[in-house]
Amino acid sequence: MTDNGTTDTAHLIRYLGRGGFSPSVVDRAAGTSVFTEDGRELLDFTSGQMSAILGHSHPEIVATLGQQAGRLDHLYSGMLSRPVLELCRRLAESLPAPLDKTMLLSTGGEANEAALRMAKLVTGGHEVVSFARSWHGMTQAAAGATYSAGRGGYGPAAPGNFALPVPDRFRPDIVDADGRLDWRRQLDLAFDLIDAQSTGSLAACLVEPILSSGGIVDLPPGYLGALRDKCHERGMLLILDEAQTGLCRTGDWYAFERDGVVPDVITLSKTLGAGLPLSAVVTSAEIEQRAHDLGFLFLTTHVNDPLPAAVGNTVLDVLTRDRLDVRAAELGQRLRDGLNDLAARHPVIGDVRGRGLLVGLELVTAGGGTEDTDRLGAAVTRRAGELGLHMNIVQLPGMGGTFRIAPALTATEAEIDRGVEILDKALGDAA
């Protein structure tokens, strides 16, 4: 801190776009709370960066880090270790056939980069389809498939990237006779346009089952199956980015299970390491064999490192033992009930949506202007922080009134209720 009590950021590169750093320096974190150097406690309703599904400083994660670091932490990238082999086996057992081949990396951006590289190699194409409000990472191919932010000012994106309209049921763009989203017609029209633009080199479709940075938009039931069919008709691979939805957060082990649709490739990250840098690409033996035969190469310094793999194994231990898929569904229902109660009393709440403990709350204003809604969202976020609740708003222009709410799966009923109570007061004070 500086002499006047503000945070000294003089030597930091500002990497948050137009956004700024939080005003306080965090000293420690435990469970669902973070504690600042100036003595404040904040209930963390974002699980860190939507990652710490077991809460902060979970004792079993802490123990694993100490034990594994003292035994084996890092290896040459071509060497293997028991934690890596074990985690890959267990991920295969947790997923439906034929998803049984895994590589472990550090971040979600890396995992999506590797998945897209593999898809391009095995299909022989290079064109990639993703949602118009997507976020898949900031490395080259992942950034090319990201439309929610970061496209302006950096030169041309990789050629062959196409955007799908988002099937947003709260703000539908193509509607049926009853005024509801007609997602089948929307999807048909989208692929008509993609086919018209494609050079015949379609390789992959990379999507989230629930768009997070895009506003917590849950794909309508049936959409994922129809999208899978569109992909396979064109020889494309369907890649699901389950960075935030994977590993129990939605009430299922994987969000795609609701639809009974098995992707060609799934990428995991954030939740797999429960806040530690660990990600995975999982695909079928058939696709892996084709990639290997063609000389698939994707190498990083920390590919298949033993220390984060050991953490991943502990995460799976806790999720399984404590049945946190069931817990997420129960707590998610409690959270949704609380937010729906707020919606009945606060006219500025336009919609509550999501699954399990990944919930979106969208504000609306009387005039309907996006600038007014953005200002209101910022005011509610600021007031909630003052009252002891850390909230996250979507950063897309015009969507700053949409909150992404993702408490840890280990939160208590009392903590869920306390968060809703603080939000109630913040809404009343700000609105």
Side-chain angles (χ1 to χ4, degrees), residues 129 162-166 173-176 181-198 223 226-227 230 233-234:
V129 175
F162 304 118
L164 277 176
V166 176
D173 50 9
I174 296 178
V175 298
D176 60 19
L181 174 69
D182 188 344
W183 62 261
R184 291 187 184 276
R185 183 162 169 257
Q186 182 197 55
L187 187 61
D188 287 341
L189 289 171
F191 269 90
D192 285 345
L193 288 172
I194 289 167
D195 290 339
Q197 298 170 80
S198 171
Y223 187 97
L227 179 61
K230 295 282 189 187
E233 287 166 5
R234 292 160 176 80

Side-chain angles (χ1 to χ4, degrees), residues 109 112-113 116 130 134-151 154 157-158 161 206:
N112 288 329
E113 197 79 22
L116 289 171
S130 52
S134 57
W135 180 286
H136 296 295
M138 288 285 96
T139 51
Q140 185 182 27
T146 293
Y147 290 95
S148 64
R151 296 187 73 86
Y154 303 98
N161 282 283
L206 171 63

Side-chain angles (χ1 to χ4, degrees), residues 414-430:
E415 288 168 333
I416 295 295
D417 294 346
R418 178 156 61 95
V420 172
E421 290 168 5
I422 294 174
L423 181 57
D424 185 13
K425 180 166 177 50
L427 285 163
D429 291 350

Side-chain angles (χ1 to χ4, degrees), residues 187-404:
L187 187 61
D188 287 341
L189 289 171
F191 269 90
D192 285 345
L193 288 172
I194 289 167
D195 290 339
Q197 298 170 80
S198 171
T199 62
S201 296
L202 289 166
C205 182
L206 171 63
V207 297
E208 300 166 274
I210 301 175
L211 283 80
S212 179
S213 295
I216 310 295
V217 178
D218 190 1
L219 301 185
Y223 187 97
L224 201 55
L227 179 61
R228 183 262 327 272
D229 293 344
K230 295 282 189 187
C231 290
H232 288 181
E233 287 166 5
R234 292 160 176 80
M236 304 164 66
L237 300 189
L238 175 61
I239 305 171
L240 292 188
D241 179 350
E242 292 228 24
Q244 297 187 31
T245 56
L247 300 177
C248 301
R249 180 171 285 289
T250 66
D252 292 309
W253 268 79
Y254 301 97
F256 71 78
E257 292 178 320
R258 183 199 68 179
D259 294 82
V261 175
V262 181
D264 299 296
V265 184
I266 182 172
T267 60
L268 305 169
S269 52
K270 297 176 182 290
T271 58
L272 181 58
L276 278 295
L278 176 62
S279 63
V281 179
V282 190
T283 190
S284 66
E286 179 185 0
I287 291 173
E288 191 275 342
Q289 184 65 56
R290 286 160 57 193
H292 175 70
D293 290 344
L294 291 166
F296 177 64
L297 177 67
F298 191 91
L299 195 65
T300 73
T301 300
H302 296 288
V303 64
N304 284 348
D305 255 355
L307 179 58
V311 170
N313 279 308
T314 298
V315 171
L316 296 187
D317 288 341
V318 177
L319 292 175
T320 302
R321 183 196 66 211
D322 296 345
R323 300 185 64 202
L324 291 184
D325 53 338
V326 176
R327 180 68 172 165
E330 294 171 347
L331 283 179
Q333 187 60 57
R334 189 181 189 94
L335 175 60
R336 289 280 295 271
D337 288 345
L339 296 178
N340 285 329
D341 179 63
L342 295 189
R345 294 187 287 106
H346 293 278
V348 294
I349 297 178
D351 193 34
V352 177
R353 55 183 179 259
R355 273 191 267 165
L357 282 175
L358 182 60
V359 178
L361 183 148
E362 184 165 347
L363 304 180
V364 295
T365 54
T370 57
E371 291 185 2
D372 290 341
T373 307
D374 287 353
R375 282 195 291 269
L376 176 59
V380 173
T381 302
R382 183 168 54 252
R383 183 60 179 143
E386 294 168 354
L387 295 170
L389 174 67
H390 179 257
M391 298 278 286
N392 178 276
I393 54 175
V394 173
Q395 300 298 319
L396 283 172
M399 293 196 66
T402 302
F403 290 94
R404 299 191 297 165

Side-chain angles (χ1 to χ4, degrees), residues 52-73:
I53 54 172
L54 304 184
H56 297 283
S57 304
H58 190 282
E60 290 175 65
I61 299 291
V62 173
T64 296
L65 285 168
Q67 293 164 6
Q68 188 62 43
R71 180 181 181 87
L72 181 61
D73 54 2

